[in-house]
Amino acid sequence: MNNDNNYTDGNNGNNLEAPVNKTSSLNNMNALSQYLKSTAATREGREIPPLDKWHPENIADMDLVIKANGEWWHEGGKMTRQSLVNLFATILWKEENDGVTEYFLKTPVQKIRIQVEDVPLLINDVGIVKENEVSWLEFVTTTGDVVRLDDEHLISLQAYQPDNAADRIDESQVRPYMPVRNGLNALIGRNTFYHLTEIGELTEHDGKTMLTLQSGGKSYSMTMPDH
């Protein structure tokens, strides 16, 4: 079994231009890790590669699941090496095919289909940052994405229904989400959302509780879910 705990750091001198044999496959954890490590050397920091410009025809599958709680599981085991999860998260890609949402790890040579129970990203931190005397609400995902609340990145409350009936603890479960990049949404973690209620202003309107947040000089309001 190949899992993230067996990953090694050697890159065998590969670079971004290094060809990948058309018969080879990156749907092996170590092979994909090595490939990304070698190509990442051409980028600085945690830059997201130009996924929209890559159009690989080869598609493979990997036994990798992003759980509804944000955990990544490979071949039935939880991935514990966060640096590897962060690396894979930079190539997450979403497609709508005949009304079905599919998720991939996308490279220039191959798309590797994975499974996502809810959404692929999880926000676990929020803070207030000032830029040119303007205060922004800034959110951070567990895999290193940073996004601010603005007109392009609004928080929405949506119902979540687990596929597994055994997981249906609350049939009317409502979760807060936020768009991040390339059509990918992030779940705002429970503790982070509680922090938002402390940062923002809670008011009552027509028997409903409203949360109003300030970011970038604008106000953003949402109706809080019923408990």
Side-chain angles (χ1 to χ4, degrees):
M1 167 178 164
N2 289 317
N3 57 41
D4 57 307
N5 294 319
N6 294 332
Y7 169 67
T8 57
D9 289 326
N11 62 20
N12 297 324
N14 292 332
N15 53 52
L16 184 60
E17 289 74 27
V20 174
N21 189 297
K22 291 184 179 180
T23 61
S24 67
S25 179
L26 297 178
N27 65 334
N28 169 284
M29 183 69 69
N30 286 337
L32 181 58
S33 304
Q34 298 285 10
Y35 178 81
L36 293 180
K37 278 287 187 179
S38 65
T39 59
T42 64
R43 305 192 300 271
E44 295 183 0
R46 190 187 172 279
E47 182 181 350
I48 302 300
L51 303 179
D52 58 325
K53 298 180 181 179
W54 295 348
H55 305 286
E57 296 181 359
N58 191 301
I59 299 177
D61 291 273
M62 178 185 285
D63 183 5
L64 193 156
V65 180
I66 302 178
K67 300 285 190 178
N69 63 1
E71 294 177 351
W72 289 49
W73 285 62
H74 176 241
E75 295 184 350
K78 180 181 175 181
M79 292 178 63
T80 57
R81 192 179 294 275
Q82 188 61 40
S83 60
L84 193 58
V85 173
N86 294 351
L87 183 64
F88 286 178
T90 64
I91 59 169
L92 277 168
W93 184 253
K94 175 184 175 182
E95 292 184 3
E96 300 288 340
N97 296 312
D98 297 325
V100 177
T101 301
E102 293 187 303
Y103 291 92
F104 301 88
L105 300 180
K106 189 178 184 183
T107 76
V109 296
Q110 191 174 52
K111 287 192 305 185
I112 303 145
R113 186 184 291 107
I114 65 172
Q115 301 302 312
V116 176
E117 289 186 347
D118 186 12
V119 293
L121 302 172
L122 173 66
I123 290 171
N124 68 338
D125 191 25
V126 62
I128 300 174
V129 297
K130 277 200 172 183
E131 186 175 279
N132 300 325
E133 301 304 316
V134 178
S135 295
W136 294 87
L137 274 181
E138 191 169 87
F139 299 77
V140 182
T141 70
T142 56
T143 46
D145 290 285
V146 178
V147 62
R148 292 177 177 180
L149 176 62
D150 59 22
D151 293 344
E152 301 297 322
H153 302 88
L154 300 174
I155 298 171
S156 62
L157 298 170
Q158 302 174 30
Y160 169 66
Q161 298 286 0
D163 291 333
N164 188 340
D167 293 335
R168 295 176 185 267
I169 299 173
D170 183 356
E171 291 288 343
S172 60
Q173 183 180 8
V174 174
R175 290 179 155 194
Y177 300 92
M178 193 174 190
V180 177
R181 56 176 163 88
N182 291 331
L184 301 177
N185 290 331
L187 169 68
I188 300 177
R190 181 170 299 181
N191 290 340
T192 303
F193 193 73
Y194 284 158
H195 190 199
L196 277 182
T197 64
E198 297 171 350
I199 293 175
E201 179 185 7
L202 291 170
T203 55
E204 294 289 332
H205 292 280
D206 298 326
K208 297 287 187 178
T209 301
M210 300 288 294
L211 173 63
T212 301
L213 302 168
Q214 305 293 329
S215 183
K218 293 186 176 183
S219 295
Y220 298 92
S221 297
M222 71 189 79
T223 303
M224 296 290 286
D226 295 327
H227 295 293

